């Protein structure tokens, strides 16, 4: 089959709060689908560089996800979605989905046109916070910087969490979880990969 006649690759957005295990889940799925592509929203979003006042102003104005700057993200995702392996390749479309690590799922006009399915990792926010802090502590133990600098980083994260981050994460859950196509509750990657195989197969019919 000519690559121009192949259907677009299927995009699965892996969503959830920071610390829910998005990166780890993507790594597991890439083992199940070795020819899959991976893209992370974190490589394109610049919201984390906003000041706390900028975040508060954005939230007070309604927290419109369309206003979040993500230069080049939709273009990169579109290139992957419509890119296929060369004609004659042994790789089948069913083995080459796209796993998109995202905070927004389909919650912007650009992403809604590219994302096919949203997978929400259903994890309590207190557990996510504990995981994030544990990761920071591991970095602190492994860093050769002064301990006080790393401690200040954790303190800053907690300060932001109390003022803005916790509200943003509750908003994310309220907006994205109800629209998800799959809720990952039991952490069963086997069941999830079977569901992904089924969705890709139905897209190819």
């Amino acid at each position: 089959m000519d690559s121009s006649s192949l259907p677009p690759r299927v995009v699965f957005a892996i969503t959830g709060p920071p610390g829910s295990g998005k990166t780890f889940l993507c790594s597991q799925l890439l083992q199940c689908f070795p020819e899959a592509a991976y893209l992370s929203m974190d490589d394109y979003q610049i919201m984390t560089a906003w000041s706390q006042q900028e975040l508060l102003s954005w939230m007070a104005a309604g927290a419109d996800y369309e206003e979040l700057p993500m230069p080049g993200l939709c273009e990169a995702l579109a290139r992957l979605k419509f890119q296929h392996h060369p004609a004659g390749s042994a790789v089948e479309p069913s083995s080459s989905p796209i796993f998109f690590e995202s905070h927004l799922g389909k919650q912007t006009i650009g992403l809604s046109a590219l994302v096919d399915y949203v997978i929400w990792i259903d994890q309590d926010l207190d557990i996510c916070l504990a995981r994030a802090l544990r990761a920071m502590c591991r970095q602190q133990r492994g860093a050769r910087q002064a301990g006080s600098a790393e401690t200040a980083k954790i303190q800053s994260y907690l300060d932001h969490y109390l003022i803005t981050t916790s509200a943003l994460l509750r908003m994310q859950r309220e907006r994205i979880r109800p629209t998800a196509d799959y809720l990952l509750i039991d952490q069963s990657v086997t069941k999830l990969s079977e569901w992904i195989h089924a969705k890709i197969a139905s897209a190819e019919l």
Side-chain angles (χ1 to χ4, degrees):
M1 182 182 293
D2 187 272
S3 61
S4 62
S5 64
L6 290 172
R9 298 168 76 179
V10 183
V11 178
F12 296 89
I14 311 299
T15 62
S20 60
K22 294 188 297 295
T23 303
F24 180 68
L25 177 60
C26 285
S27 69
Q28 289 182 302
L29 291 173
L30 288 170
Q31 292 179 34
C32 299
F33 299 84
E35 302 299 333
Y38 167 78
L39 188 71
S40 174
M41 179 180 155
D42 283 340
D43 293 333
Y44 297 88
Q45 66 85 22
I46 55 177
M47 180 185 181
T48 49
W50 283 4
S51 69
Q52 200 165 79
Q53 186 54 52
E54 286 175 310
L55 279 173
L56 289 170
S57 297
W58 174 73
M59 292 167 65
D64 185 355
Y65 286 153
E66 296 287 351
E67 297 176 356
L68 296 180
M70 297 177 287
L73 174 63
C74 288
E75 292 82 356
L77 187 57
R79 282 195 298 272
L80 284 176
K81 184 177 180 70
F82 297 102
Q83 164 194 319
H84 288 286
H85 294 274
S89 170
V91 177
E92 296 292 333
S94 60
S95 65
S96 58
I98 299 166
F99 297 119
F100 172 42
E101 186 176 337
S102 169
H103 303 291
L104 301 181
K106 297 182 180 180
Q107 296 294 306
T108 70
I109 294 173
L111 292 178
S112 67
L114 297 168
V115 172
D116 297 289
Y117 299 101
V118 175
I119 298 165
W120 173 265
I121 303 177
D122 210 32
Q123 188 59 266
D124 292 339
L125 292 183
D126 58 343
I127 294 177
C128 293
L129 174 60
R131 287 177 174 173
L133 293 177
R134 185 175 62 183
M136 289 183 181
C137 290
R138 278 201 300 265
Q139 292 170 3
Q140 178 177 346
R141 288 196 298 269
R144 296 186 179 277
Q145 302 174 8
S148 58
E150 292 301 313
T151 301
K153 180 180 177 181
I154 295 174
Q155 182 66 54
S156 175
Y157 182 85
L158 290 173
D159 289 343
H160 282 81
Y161 193 93
L162 291 171
I163 298 173
T164 55
T165 307
S166 60
L168 287 172
L169 297 184
R170 287 194 298 272
M171 182 190 308
Q172 178 198 33
R173 181 183 177 90
E174 290 168 1
R175 292 183 180 182
I176 298 177
R177 188 181 186 276
T179 68
D181 301 286
Y182 190 103
L183 294 180
L184 185 64
I185 298 173
D186 58 5
Q187 308 297 313
S188 173
V189 177
T190 300
K191 291 180 182 177
L192 175 57
S193 63
E194 291 173 353
W195 179 83
I196 290 172
H197 272 297
K199 292 301 180 184
I200 296 172
S202 65
E204 293 173 352
L205 295 177

